[in-house]
Amino acid sequence: MGRPLPEQQKRKRFERLVLPHSGTAYNLAIWLVRNEAQAEEAVQEAYLRAFQYFDAFRGENARPWLLRIVRNTCYTLIARNRELGEPDVFDEGDHGEETVAPGAVVSFPANPETAAIESADRELVQRCVGALPAEFREVVILRELQECSYKEISAIAEIPIGTVMSRLARGRRLLEVALDRHVERKETGT
Amino acid sequence: MNCKETTRFLHGYLDAELALGDALAVEEHLQGCPRCRTHHANLRAVQTAVRRHIEHHAAPASLRARLAARYGDEDGSTAASTRRWSGVAAAGAAALLLAAVWIGAGSVDDRSKRAAQLPAKVVVHISQSGSATAALRNLANHLEASPGTTVVVVAHNEGVDFLMRGARDASGQLYESAVAKLKSRGVDFRICGNTLVRLKFDSGQVIPAATLVPSGVAEISRLQTQEGYAYLRL
């Protein structure tokens, strides 16, 4: 733990290193909690914690550090809301976690079509990414949307790099199948 | 490298997280294995679809203002940070690609910060279709921040798309004009001949601003090992 900085100096440093990442923080939050009001709540709580623990932060790149706090805050918020019995923000069919448990054997169609995946539209991509189980969704979002390196993802999600890779692989495989299947359905009108 | 190893390395390859030697081994295997090639094409398609379509949720202005008021430096912090945001936005926008998708001031700021720390000679590797818009924007930001940098862009694999005549970005702007602007600021664009052959492009389809090199990967490793360039994937 670092020695506490004088208040004014701490604010200046926080403003320079942490405040500029509120956009990134909000974006991650909304993809994790899937609800605008809760994402705002999560970001505000995360900033509160970040400011509290800022004395202990070393270095210049605060983005992974902040995102790690945002991620934790989001999961705490989700768990708290579940306990309070507040309605889940997921649609039933959108949840994913019940339908595909991590590591479960899922029967994949043999050959998803590259062309079918390429023809996926905006709405389909939101739906399929939103339906990924949380542990796969977060690595996909961190990688594709936030452009984090494996090392950064490992620090943010607190998992080893090998797990980052296997979750990304799994997440992309689920997306491959989901995108292919939906495009097919749309084409055949079923 | 066999199929099993390739499958294991494929995501690292896709994300440019492999050491050059491993990347080359994956590439070599892909050349000779149609099954792994399909697998790779599908993963690439998934990545492109997600990157192209996924929604960037901008933080509401009210949230930003609340955070700035609460955690900013107390002397007129909100005004100061607003000024900085618009400065960054203006530099990025004026530099290039007005139509680029704005993904929130946070990440734009990250990028210009990252760009400001780049070394003096840089080879930028573009190997994915659809990543050129962001790469060109980053480059422009970087040149803004450190104008003396020597930059060579090497386009390879699906990354060659933006150097084709008539290629447009997601918002319909011609890449050619963005490339010309960067070229006028000293950026050199090189395109991989092997890729053109493999993807059945004719060299006549390439915009004149780009120079043809026999192999993109060999060019990158030559610049790194013989000319002291730093490698960067934007």
Side-chain angles (χ1 to χ4, degrees):
Chain A
M1 294 292 281
R3 213 176 332 135
L5 294 165
E7 181 71 10
Q8 178 76 8
Q9 208 183 327
K10 176 174 172 178
R11 277 187 181 277
K12 271 201 161 55
R13 198 168 124 82
F14 192 84
E15 184 186 30
R16 184 168 62 86
L17 295 182
V18 186
L19 261 190
H21 300 299
S22 60
T24 312
Y26 179 78
N27 206 10
L28 176 63
I30 207 159
W31 274 106
L32 294 183
V33 301
R34 315 292 293 127
N35 169 295
E36 287 174 13
Q38 287 190 11
E40 276 204 47
E41 193 185 334
V43 170
Q44 290 191 83
E45 275 198 38
Y47 266 85
L48 190 68
R49 286 197 208 174
F51 193 72
Q52 240 168 6
Y53 295 115
F54 191 53
D55 288 333
F57 172 74
R58 292 283 168 271
E60 287 292 301
N61 182 11
R63 191 174 82 137
W65 178 78
L66 177 70
L67 291 183
R68 178 169 169 175
I69 299 175
V70 170
R71 174 186 177 272
N72 279 329
T73 311
C74 285
Y75 286 134
T76 309
L77 197 69
I78 291 170
R80 197 197 301 155
N81 288 340
R82 287 228 176 100
E83 269 170 33
L84 291 175
E86 283 186 18
D88 207 303
V89 293
F90 290 94
D91 293 330
E92 273 307 306
D94 232 21
H95 201 319
E97 268 161 318
E98 287 82 17
T99 44
V100 191
V105 179
V106 180
S107 65
F108 291 123
N111 295 311
E113 290 277 337
T114 311
I117 299 165
E118 279 168 351
S119 72
D121 62 16
R122 194 175 172 76
E123 190 267 329
L124 179 61
V125 168
Q126 312 310 315
R127 196 145 43 85
C128 291
V129 174
L132 283 176
E135 67 266 44
F136 304 126
R137 188 171 64 236
E138 68 178 5
V139 291
V140 167
I141 292 296
L142 287 170
R143 175 65 213 151
E144 310 294 19
L145 193 61
Q146 317 277 37
E147 298 183 37
C148 293
S149 67
Y150 287 3
K151 204 173 146 205
E152 285 175 326
I153 299 174
S154 153
I156 294 165
E158 300 174 77
I159 49 177
I161 287 195
T163 311
V164 172
M165 290 167 78
S166 59
R167 286 193 187 170
L168 254 183
R170 179 81 181 158
R172 283 179 175 149
R173 182 70 174 131
L174 289 169
L175 284 174
E176 180 186 358
V177 174
L179 292 175
D180 178 68
R181 195 183 292 152
H182 282 83
V183 170
E184 220 167 75
R185 269 189 206 158
K186 206 160 60 183
E187 277 167 2
T188 55
T190 51
Chain B
M1 196 176 272
N2 59 30
C3 290
K4 202 175 157 200
E5 285 166 326
T6 302
T7 306
R8 196 157 59 82
F9 278 114
L10 215 44
H11 290 270
Y13 178 69
L14 198 68
D15 293 319
E17 290 264 354
L18 295 185
L20 191 61
D22 289 333
L24 291 171
V26 169
E27 231 153 71
E28 199 187 320
H29 179 86
L30 290 179
Q31 302 262 345
C33 175
R35 223 182 104 222
C36 286
R37 217 156 47 225
T38 306
H39 187 188
H40 175 245
N42 282 356
L43 288 178
R44 175 83 79 204
V46 168
Q47 186 178 54
T48 307
V50 171
R51 289 187 173 188
R52 184 174 298 154
H53 295 302
I54 197 139
E55 205 166 323
H56 292 265
H57 298 273
S62 57
L63 174 65
R64 278 182 198 279
R66 268 202 305 282
L67 293 173
R70 187 148 182 193
Y71 302 108
D73 185 15
E74 275 164 295
D75 303 324
S77 64
T78 316
S81 57
T82 314
R83 213 164 37 237
R84 200 174 62 233
W85 294 129
S86 52
V88 170
L96 184 72
L97 297 178
L98 298 154
V101 185
W102 223 235
I103 59 169
S107 10
V108 172
D109 207 34
D110 291 345
R111 286 184 179 162
S112 50
K113 253 186 220 137
R114 238 180 275 157
Q117 296 158 358
L118 294 181
K121 286 205 286 186
V122 182
V123 51
V124 176
H125 184 189
I126 299 184
S127 64
Q128 294 178 25
S129 170
S131 67
T133 307
L136 297 182
R137 189 176 58 225
N138 285 343
L139 260 182
N141 284 340
H142 172 49
L143 289 171
E144 201 77 22
S146 27
T149 314
T150 306
V151 180
V152 175
V153 174
V154 176
H156 156 252
N157 272 358
E158 281 78 4
V160 300
D161 289 2
F162 80 105
L163 292 175
M164 296 298 151
R165 286 180 197 271
R168 290 172 189 274
D169 66 18
S171 49
Q173 302 291 309
L174 274 178
Y175 275 118
E176 191 166 357
S177 55
V179 168
K181 265 190 209 156
L182 282 170
K183 194 159 167 101
S184 72
R185 297 168 69 179
V187 177
D188 203 6
F189 288 85
R190 299 179 192 170
I191 187 166
C192 171
N194 284 343
T195 301
L196 295 186
V197 173
R198 191 168 56 80
L199 298 179
K200 301 193 169 55
F201 279 119
D202 187 282
S203 60
Q205 289 171 266
V206 178
I207 59 174
T211 318
L212 197 64
V213 293
S215 153
V217 172
E219 181 69 5
I220 289 168
S221 78
R222 188 185 67 79
L223 288 171
Q224 277 183 279
T225 55
Q226 292 175 28
E227 300 197 23
Y229 276 70
Y231 175 84
L232 186 72
R233 177 184 164 268
L234 281 179

